[in-house]
Amino acid sequence: MALQAFDSDGVTIAYLDEGTGGPVLLIHGFASDHKVNWAATSWVRDLVQEGFRVVAIDNRGHGESGKPHDPDAYGTPAMAEDARRLLDHLGIARAHVVGYSMGARIAAFLALAHPDRVRAVVLSGLGEGLVKGVGAPGPIAAALRAPSAADVDDQTARGFRLFADQTGADREALAACITASRQTLTPEELGRIGRPVLVAVGTEDDIAGDPHALAALIPGAAAFAIPGRDHMKAVGDRAHKRAVIDFLKANP
């Protein structure tokens, strides 16, 4: 199915909408898009086959959505409002929300700001880093603005630059996004998320932080360690996908 788009407070937001069951909103990670994060890894296909309606957003600055170069256009609360407006646009009163990495942060902010719109939340690829932070954004922004990946010494930052080059991303938009979108939540704020939550992080992920430590801060939350996977390879892992689908079905 072809992408559709709508206006979210002046920024064009593209999205995919497939299936006819209970709605699941998928929110991708930084420098990715709905295709890389969710379609290429068969999440869209598998969720539709499991009886869900899948809505997969391209976050602002990513994919086919608008790409402002001003950091003030970003920030996790603003990106969470894009997700809320997409639900409004589609007439979806409540949805399951599944986010990966940056998308998990957006999902958490959405659940905190609009709990009535969320059935259950999956925070994948982000554990205790939601509270403690996942590192300074400066090196990644600098890598995205560097003349080439060969000019970047920091290995993590270089990985993001190579990924952005591979996907043909707007690197200045991504630099603006990473500069403005790494907000954290306090334990007190996490304690107010009154929806079922699953936290899923790869056992080899050295970016996200401990999933069990994050789940312990959210009333009733569960944690799932994705066996043998790092931050990049955990997304499409079969055990990860099965755990998420089982969690969504257990919290209709």
Side-chain angles (χ1 to χ4, degrees):
M1 186 178 293
L3 280 188
Q4 303 175 64
F6 78 108
D7 181 277
S8 179
D9 194 29
V11 178
T12 299
I13 297 296
Y15 65 93
L16 183 74
D17 184 4
E18 291 192 8
T20 57
V24 179
L25 174 62
L26 301 179
I27 309 178
H28 65 78
F30 175 72
S32 188
D33 57 29
H34 86 278
K35 291 183 292 186
V36 173
N37 228 153
W38 307 118
T41 54
S42 300
W43 274 94
V44 174
R45 181 200 68 191
D46 292 351
L47 283 167
V48 169
Q49 288 179 352
E50 292 279 355
F52 292 100
R53 175 185 179 183
V54 176
V55 178
I57 191 172
D58 273 355
N59 292 312
R60 57 174 62 199
H62 299 72
E64 299 301 318
S65 289
K67 299 175 178 64
H69 287 182
D70 183 356
D72 288 343
Y74 296 94
T76 308
M79 298 173 87
E81 289 305 312
D82 288 336
R84 189 268 305 166
R85 292 188 193 102
L86 175 54
L87 296 179
D88 289 349
H89 173 73
L90 295 174
I92 295 173
R94 296 175 73 207
H96 291 299
V97 182
V98 179
Y100 193 82
S101 195
M102 180 185 75
R105 181 180 290 106
I106 294 169
F109 273 74
L110 176 64
L112 193 59
H114 302 286
D116 57 318
R117 311 303 300 275
V118 175
R119 291 187 180 277
V121 189
V122 178
L123 308 177
S124 287
L126 186 62
E128 200 176 15
L130 182 56
V131 179
K132 293 186 173 181
V134 292
I140 296 175
L144 290 164
R145 292 180 171 125
S148 73
D151 296 295
V152 181
D153 294 326
D154 182 291
Q155 289 303 306
T156 299
R158 189 180 192 188
F160 279 106
R161 170 57 187 265
L162 289 170
F163 187 54
D165 288 345
Q166 178 186 347
T167 59
D170 183 326
R171 292 185 288 105
E172 186 57 39
L174 292 183
C177 177
I178 197 69
T179 299
S181 65
R182 280 195 165 178
Q183 287 80 14
T184 57
L185 289 173
T186 66
E188 292 73 23
E189 288 171 323
L190 289 167
R192 297 203 302 268
I193 296 179
R195 291 290 178 265
V197 175
L198 175 67
V199 184
V201 173
T203 58
E204 306 302 316
D205 190 331
D206 59 2
I207 294 175
D210 185 352
H212 300 279
L214 179 62
L217 298 174
I218 304 171
F224 178 72
I226 306 166
R229 297 297 189 181
D230 63 16
H231 194 71
M232 296 301 180
K233 294 181 180 178
V235 181
D237 179 84
R238 289 183 182 179
H240 176 207
K241 202 178 298 179
R242 188 70 258 162
V244 170
I245 290 171
D246 289 346
F247 171 76
L248 297 181
K249 288 189 169 184
N251 294 280

